[in-house]
């Protein structure tokens, strides 16, 4: 059976021709990597520099892009005035030059056409591409309503398409970073303190006396400022406690490593709360003055002893008590880190609630060495008409569910794209900006099913990621080194703004996102919402409202302002009003209770691996940001593929050797497309295996990263949904080992890259053989 939207391999014409040969030199030292970014300069050459902030991860460190005398971009370094990086970039940040030079980049607009019964991409002009998108969007709005158009966004340019969609009449705008990453912690901390954590996290690590990391991998996730501050804290002899089934980089720097049984973190947190309350280790003055529900909490945890937790977590009672005492001794200069990727087991809001409660008991919120009070600059919105009010939202598809979700759910929009008899209108169009949904959303088969029910899918990206193969129209965005974007205004200790400006003209026929949104807006009759010729007009107008200008920011890149709304920490004796129902820190959450959820967190057991299977744990590497950077020529040289971490006991049972290539199969019979090499190590528990996320690309247009390592995302088919805010818990998947290459039939099962006709052909071949 032929599907209406097959996966198309983009031809060389659309992506930039043949790949260059890879370097045979593999770089192991940071200094060697740095040498790749330096060019020999003639003494007569004068370099130009241009301010920017990084787009490789959400930390958005500000820096300088340098060009040599020939006008070529040669390096990126940190801006000394930027509190995000303090003048130092991580490997990803300095590797941004590789993104600019990647010969596999998307080069020109492409549209899906059918030629001789086969779907192909053809190069088209920008006018043709935008005219087609406009026509389809207006048709959908007329027949179904503008709310049936949705935006998935990740990155700075998504704001322009968000503005466009709101002007069009749809508020269905989702960032996968919410439901697939940080959403539960925001809801948990809002329910407790009346404030979200935000990005970057306001953790006062440089002055902490005790840092607790529970599934947070500082040093591997390369959240730049936190890595630097953790180094400072270690030099000051701060106690580090790391809870992780894997001996991570952070664990190697810790006084205590607690190799917890996966899926039992909430039991450990409740036992810590028990010890701190029962042994009266909590910050009594802080609790009495600032909290609501202490007595209910005390009664709730009375039976949650370290001995009870030991039978669940495998962490010995004495270790639980000693680590609780370490936290209390450091109070209030203690941080139980909230983490970032916290969508694990479906009870994630309640787990992060427990983390928030623990921080409250220790008095760390608003205290030096705990959580500081961030402040940011508010830039006025550039004048434009009011948005029309949408008649429907994504919530209509989930009545009575996910009541505390603050933002739209990417997975929810995906699910609501598949038609049902109960729904008036499913989503008909997706605009996908800068996010590879195939490798981002769990349960790839569901994503594929949703895509097949769309009238149009538009992908805006710099690279030919897997999602572009399913698009009807592909719009090539220029890299962040070739464009202006909004002023960075994230909250830190000191209010700071940072400018991103182009260091070079866009390569090929790529364009910045602001230009695409403006041009599409014109065609949709929304020109009044884009009342400027060039985006520099918007930036200069906004900067002048806060006493700066575009000319000033081009020279300095980063500008700091004085705090206006209070000190960095709460003052002794200060009367504090929290943004909760009671005006207090809510240990007992009235917001949770009002919506029918448990007002206090409790541990509930989760499924365990069947015999011969192991829990799939995934994580990060310091040189890569998910699947976005694995094809970057500079960062590829640092890490070409992922390995499968296997405990020696398990390796012995399966007769697995270091460097041996194997495949993984999950509990639903889904098999990895590509093999990966075994790494036998004591650094992982015997009941789990570990891989770095973002590898195993199936798009051959990514000439370096195609087929390198395995995709953990393909194996995540069991999704444990958080009932409170809709987060997609992804660590309830189990895998076993295949030492022989799977058959084509096994690989085809659940493969979103094969349509039904192709799958049936494979099945037929298997039957014949």
């Amino acid at each position: 059976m032929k599907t209406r939207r097959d996966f198309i391999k983009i031809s060389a014409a659309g992506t930039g021709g043949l790949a260059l040969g890879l370097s045979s030199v593999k770089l192991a030292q940071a200094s060697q990597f740095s040498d790749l970014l330096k060019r020999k300069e003639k003494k007569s050459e004068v370099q130009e520099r241009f301010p920017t902030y990084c787009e490789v991860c959400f930390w958005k460190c500000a820096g300088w892009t340098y060009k040599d005398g020939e006008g070529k971009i040669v390096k990126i370094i940190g801006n000394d005035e930027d509190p995000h990086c303090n003048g130092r970039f991580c490997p990803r940040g300095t590797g941004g030059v590789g993104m600019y030079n990647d010969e596999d980049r998307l080069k020109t607009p492409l549209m899906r056409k059918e030629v001789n019964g086969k779907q192909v991409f053809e190069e088209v002009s920008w006018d043709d591409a935008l005219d087609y998108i406009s026509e389809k969007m207006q048709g959908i709005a007329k027949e179904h309503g503008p709310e049936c158009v949705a935006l998935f966004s990740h990155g700075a340019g998504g704001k322009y398409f968000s503005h466009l969609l709101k002007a069009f009449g749809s508020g269905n705008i989702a960032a996968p970073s919410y439901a697939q990453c940080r959403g539960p912690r925001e809801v948990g901390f809002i329910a407790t303190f009346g404030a979200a954590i935000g990005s970057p996290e306001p953790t006062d690590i440089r002055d902490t006396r005790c840092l607790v990391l529970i599934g947070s991998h500082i040093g591997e996730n390369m959240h730049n400022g936190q890595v630097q501050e953790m180094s400072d804290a270690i030099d000051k002899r701060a106690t580090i406690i790391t809870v992780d089934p894997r001996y991570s980089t952070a664990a190697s720097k810790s006084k205590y490593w607690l190799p917890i049984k996966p899926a039992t973190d909430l039991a450990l947190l409740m036992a810590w709360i028990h010890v701190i309350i029962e042994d009266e280790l909590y910050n009594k003055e802080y609790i009495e003055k600032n909290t609501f529900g202490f007595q209910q909490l005390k009664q709730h945890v009375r039976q949650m002893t370290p001995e009870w937790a030991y039978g669940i977590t495998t962490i010995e009672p004495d270790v639980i008590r000693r680590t609780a005492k370490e936290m209390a001794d450091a109070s209030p200069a203690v941080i139980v880190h909230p983490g970032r990727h916290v969508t694990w087991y479906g009870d994630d809001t309640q787990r992060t609630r427990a983390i928030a409660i623990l921080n409250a008991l220790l008095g760390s919120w608003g205290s030096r060495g705990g959580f500081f009070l961030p402040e940011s600059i508010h830039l006025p919105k550039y004048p434009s008409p009011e948005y029309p009010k949408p008649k429907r939202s994504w919530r209509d598809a989930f009545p009575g569910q996910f009541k505390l979700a603050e933002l739209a759910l990417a997975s929810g929009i995906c699910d609501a794209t598949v038609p049902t008899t109960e729904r008036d209108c499913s989503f008909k169009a997706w605009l996908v900006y800068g996010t590879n949904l195939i490798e981002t959303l769990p349960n790839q088969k569901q994503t594929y099913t949703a895509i097949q029910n769309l009238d149009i899918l538009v992908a805006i990206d710099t690279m030919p990621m897997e999602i572009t193969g399913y698009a009807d129209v592909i719009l090539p965005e220029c890299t962040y080194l070739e464009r202006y974007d909004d002023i960075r205004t994230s909250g830190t200790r000191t209010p700071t703004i940072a400018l991103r400006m182009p260091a070079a003209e866009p390569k090929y026929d790529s364009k910045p996102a602001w230009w695409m949104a403006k041009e599409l807006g014109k065609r949709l009759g929304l020109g009044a919402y884009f009342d400027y010729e060039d985006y520099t007009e918007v930036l200069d107008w906004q900067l002048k409202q806060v006493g700066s200008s575009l000319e000033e920011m081009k020279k300095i890149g980063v500008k700091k302002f004085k705090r206006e709304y209070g000190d960095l920490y709460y003052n002794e004796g200060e009367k504090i009003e929290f943004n909760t129902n009671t005006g207090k820190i809510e240990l007992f959450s009235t917001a949770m209770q009002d919506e029918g959820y448990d007002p206090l967190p409790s541990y509930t057991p989760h499924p365990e691996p069947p015999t011969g299977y192991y829990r799939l744990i995934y994580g990060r590497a310091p040189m890569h940001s998910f699947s976005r950077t694995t094809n970057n020529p500079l960062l590829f040289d640092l890490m070409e593929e992922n390995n499968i971490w296997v405990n020696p006991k398990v390796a012995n049972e399966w007769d697995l050797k270091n460097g041996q290539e194997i495949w993984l199969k999950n509990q639903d019979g889904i098999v990895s497309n590509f093999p990966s090499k075994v790494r036998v190590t004591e650094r992982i528990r015997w009941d789990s295996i570990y891989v770095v996320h973002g590898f195993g690309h199936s798009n051959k247009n990514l000439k370096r990263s195609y087929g390198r390592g395995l995709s953990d995302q393909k194996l995540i088919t069991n999704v444990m949904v958080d009932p409170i805010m809709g987060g997609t818990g992804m660590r309830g998947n189990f895998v076993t080992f295949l030492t022989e290459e799977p058959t084509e039939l096994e690989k085809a099962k659940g493969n979103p890259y094969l349509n039904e006709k192709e799958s049936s052909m494979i099945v037929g071949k298997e039957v014949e053989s």
Side-chain angles (χ1 to χ4, degrees):
M1 177 181 175
K2 186 174 179 64
T3 60
R4 64 171 304 278
R5 183 177 284 103
D6 296 341
F7 178 82
I8 303 176
K9 298 169 185 176
I10 302 171
S11 70
T15 59
L18 299 175
L20 301 177
L22 301 180
S23 169
S24 61
V25 181
K26 306 308 176 190
L27 307 179
Q29 303 292 331
S31 60
Q32 291 175 296
F33 175 71
S34 180
D35 288 343
L36 275 180
L37 308 178
K38 297 178 180 177
R39 293 169 59 90
K40 292 182 180 179
E41 303 173 31
K42 298 177 181 178
K43 291 183 179 180
S44 60
E45 285 185 342
V46 178
Q47 291 192 339
E48 292 182 273
R49 71 175 190 176
F50 303 84
T52 190
Y53 57 86
C54 188
E55 186 73 2
V56 182
C57 87
F58 76 92
W59 208 258
K60 292 181 167 49
C61 296
W64 297 101
T65 307
Y66 280 82
K67 293 171 69 173
D68 65 12
E70 299 174 352
K72 296 178 181 178
I73 294 177
V74 291
K75 66 179 179 180
I76 311 171
I77 64 172
N79 188 316
D80 291 338
E81 298 301 312
D82 182 34
H84 286 219
C85 70
N86 304 305
R88 288 176 280 178
F89 264 23
C90 74
R92 298 176 196 169
T94 53
V97 178
M99 183 185 297
Y100 170 74
N101 288 321
D102 195 329
E103 68 279 4
D104 290 343
R105 282 175 56 171
L106 293 168
K107 288 191 165 188
T108 188
L110 301 169
M111 281 182 59
R112 177 181 296 266
K113 301 285 180 70
E114 187 159 315
V115 178
N116 298 325
K118 182 180 180 181
Q119 295 181 16
V120 298
F121 279 129
E122 287 187 354
E123 293 185 25
V124 295
S125 69
W126 278 99
D127 282 338
D128 287 347
L130 295 173
D131 286 347
Y132 178 77
I133 297 168
S134 173
E135 179 183 339
K136 296 292 286 186
M137 287 179 65
Q138 291 183 76
I140 290 167
K142 183 177 180 179
E143 183 176 354
H144 305 286
E147 301 88 353
C148 290
V149 179
L151 168 67
F152 297 86
S153 173
H154 190 279
K159 292 182 180 178
Y160 313 117
F161 287 98
S162 176
H163 176 59
L164 172 71
L165 214 62
K166 289 176 183 177
F168 186 64
S170 175
N172 293 310
I173 300 163
S177 59
Y178 185 73
Q180 282 67 60
C181 192
R182 61 182 175 81
R185 76 166 193 195
E186 307 299 0
V187 175
F189 272 70
I190 289 171
T192 308
F193 296 104
I197 289 294
S199 300
E201 296 83 10
T203 48
D204 201 21
I205 296 175
R206 69 183 185 189
D207 288 326
T208 197
R209 294 175 55 210
C210 180
L211 174 62
V212 182
L213 303 173
I214 184 159
S216 182
H217 307 122
I218 295 179
E220 295 173 1
N221 57 24
M222 280 314 296
H223 298 167
N224 195 343
Q226 289 188 358
V227 173
Q228 294 182 38
E229 291 200 11
M230 182 174 169
S231 178
D232 292 340
I234 291 170
D235 289 344
K236 296 176 183 177
R237 300 186 181 280
T239 296
I240 312 293
I241 301 167
T242 297
V243 181
D244 201 319
R246 180 175 65 94
Y247 191 69
S248 62
T249 300
S252 71
K253 309 298 180 185
S254 301
K255 181 176 180 179
Y256 297 92
W257 171 44
L258 280 59
I260 194 169
K261 180 180 179 180
T264 67
D265 309 78
L266 188 47
L268 173 63
L269 288 162
M270 300 311 291
W272 272 338
I273 291 171
H274 168 93
V275 172
I276 285 171
I277 291 177
E278 291 299 317
D279 293 358
E280 297 190 352
L281 300 175
Y282 56 92
N283 190 318
K284 295 181 179 61
E285 181 181 355
Y286 187 93
I287 292 300
E288 183 177 349
K289 181 180 177 183
N290 297 312
T291 65
F292 169 82
F294 177 76
Q295 290 303 323
Q296 292 99 316
L297 176 64
K298 182 177 181 179
Q299 182 62 33
H300 181 67
V301 300
R302 192 173 297 279
Q303 303 302 319
M304 299 178 187
T305 64
E307 287 72 23
W308 162 80
Y310 174 49
I312 299 169
T313 65
T314 72
I315 306 300
E316 295 182 359
D318 178 60
V319 174
I320 295 175
R321 288 191 168 88
R322 279 190 286 129
T323 48
K325 183 69 164 51
E326 290 272 8
M327 296 180 222
D329 288 345
S331 173
V334 56
I335 302 166
V336 184
H337 201 287
R340 184 165 178 89
H341 175 72
V342 295
T343 46
W344 300 352
Y345 307 114
D347 58 358
D348 306 302
T349 298
Q350 293 289 18
R351 188 184 70 253
T352 55
R353 267 273 293 151
I355 291 173
I357 289 169
L358 193 53
N359 279 297
L361 291 172
L362 297 165
S364 65
W365 189 263
S367 297
R368 181 182 293 277
F371 291 80
F372 62 81
L373 307 174
E375 187 174 320
S376 60
I377 287 291
H378 172 69
L379 286 180
K381 185 174 181 282
Y382 190 74
S384 71
E386 287 189 16
Y387 297 130
K389 186 175 181 180
K391 296 177 182 178
R392 293 172 294 189
S393 83
W394 67 274
R395 290 186 182 277
D396 297 332
F398 305 96
Q401 295 180 270
F402 319 133
K403 298 175 186 177
L404 293 183
E406 296 287 316
L407 301 173
L409 307 177
S411 46
I413 288 177
C414 178
D415 292 344
T417 302
V418 181
T420 68
T421 55
E422 295 82 19
R423 198 176 299 130
D424 290 338
C425 175
S426 302
F427 290 101
K428 301 297 182 182
W430 288 2
L431 307 182
V432 183
Y433 173 83
T435 179
N436 187 13
L437 293 182
I438 302 299
E439 293 296 324
T440 300
L441 298 180
N443 193 349
Q444 290 182 343
K445 190 171 184 180
Q446 176 71 355
T447 307
Y448 173 73
T449 302
I451 288 172
Q452 293 304 320
N453 283 282
L454 291 170
D455 289 351
I456 183 172
L457 192 163
V458 180
I460 306 103
D461 216 313
T462 60
M463 297 295 296
M465 309 303 278
E466 280 75 8
I467 188 64
T468 61
Y470 292 109
D472 296 289
V473 183
I474 300 173
L475 303 180
E477 185 186 31
C478 55
T479 69
Y480 72 98
L481 301 178
E482 303 161 287
R483 69 187 195 231
Y484 282 101
D485 271 319
D486 281 342
I487 302 296
R488 192 201 75 190
T489 59
S490 49
T492 56
R493 294 180 177 90
T494 304
T496 308
I497 59 175
L499 174 69
R500 171 185 289 162
M501 70 173 293
E505 290 295 316
K507 279 190 173 185
Y508 317 118
D509 198 14
S510 62
K511 301 284 187 181
W514 68 260
W515 182 90
M516 299 183 211
K518 174 180 167 63
E519 290 298 312
L520 184 54
K522 283 184 192 176
R523 288 163 170 80
L524 292 168
L526 303 172
Y529 290 88
F530 300 89
D531 189 19
Y532 50 85
E533 289 300 318
D534 190 89
Y535 205 68
T536 55
E537 298 171 35
V538 177
L539 299 179
D540 195 46
W541 181 88
Q542 289 182 311
L543 289 167
K544 284 176 178 173
Q545 309 309 303
V546 294
S548 183
S549 68
L550 186 57
E551 282 307 307
E552 179 188 37
M553 292 302 296
K554 285 180 179 180
K555 296 173 184 175
I556 61 176
V558 169
K559 185 170 183 174
K560 297 178 179 178
F561 295 79
K562 291 182 179 180
R563 292 179 64 96
E564 295 183 1
Y565 302 106
D567 294 330
L568 196 56
Y569 314 106
Y570 295 132
N571 295 313
E572 188 174 350
E574 179 181 354
K575 185 177 180 180
I576 308 164
E577 183 79 13
F578 293 88
N579 190 27
T580 61
N581 292 336
T582 61
K584 302 280 189 179
I585 298 171
E586 294 201 353
L587 307 176
F588 180 100
S589 172
T590 60
M592 293 276 201
Q593 185 181 50
D594 290 347
E595 297 296 348
Y597 304 120
D598 291 336
L600 292 165
S602 297
Y603 167 76
T604 54
H606 295 294
E608 298 193 10
T611 302
Y613 282 74
Y614 308 88
R615 189 175 297 274
L616 173 63
I617 298 176
Y618 51 85
R620 304 283 296 279
M623 65 289 294
H624 285 300
S625 288
F626 318 120
S627 63
R628 299 177 70 192
T629 61
T630 51
N631 201 71
N632 183 307
L634 297 178
L635 302 181
F636 175 87
D637 271 348
L638 291 180
M639 185 178 184
E640 299 177 1
E641 59 188 1
N642 55 6
N643 292 326
I644 304 169
W645 290 29
V646 180
N647 183 275
K649 175 184 174 182
V650 175
N652 185 58
E653 290 175 356
W654 286 81
D655 194 28
L656 300 178
K657 308 298 181 185
N658 259 324
Q660 179 181 348
E661 285 195 338
I662 62 172
W663 289 256
L664 297 180
K665 180 173 75 172
N666 80 354
Q667 72 282 340
D668 296 321
I670 304 300
V671 176
S672 58
N673 281 354
F674 306 107
S676 191
K677 295 174 183 175
V678 171
R679 178 183 177 182
V680 180
T681 175
E682 297 273 4
R683 294 175 60 182
I684 186 71
R685 280 178 58 105
W686 60 269
D687 51 7
S688 307
I689 66 100
Y690 170 79
V691 296
V692 172
H693 172 70
F695 289 84
H697 280 289
S698 294
N699 192 333
K700 291 184 178 180
N701 296 295
L702 298 168
K703 298 184 182 69
R704 272 174 288 274
S705 57
Y706 169 75
R708 303 302 291 262
L710 63 83
S711 167
D712 57 302
Q713 200 71 21
K714 186 188 176 189
L715 302 169
I716 298 174
T717 54
N718 179 38
V719 183
M720 307 167 77
V721 178
D722 189 322
I724 297 172
M725 56 66 60
T728 53
M730 294 180 269
R731 293 194 175 177
N733 290 273
F734 313 118
V735 295
T736 191
F737 308 116
L738 300 178
T739 56
E740 299 291 334
E741 183 170 2
T743 64
E744 291 303 313
L745 176 60
E746 288 175 307
K747 290 181 182 180
K749 183 176 181 181
N751 189 340
Y753 307 109
L754 299 179
N755 62 38
E756 293 178 27
K757 180 180 179 181
E758 290 169 327
S759 295
S760 63
M761 288 173 63
I762 290 173
V763 172
K765 289 178 182 178
E766 289 293 327
V767 171
E768 291 173 8
S769 64

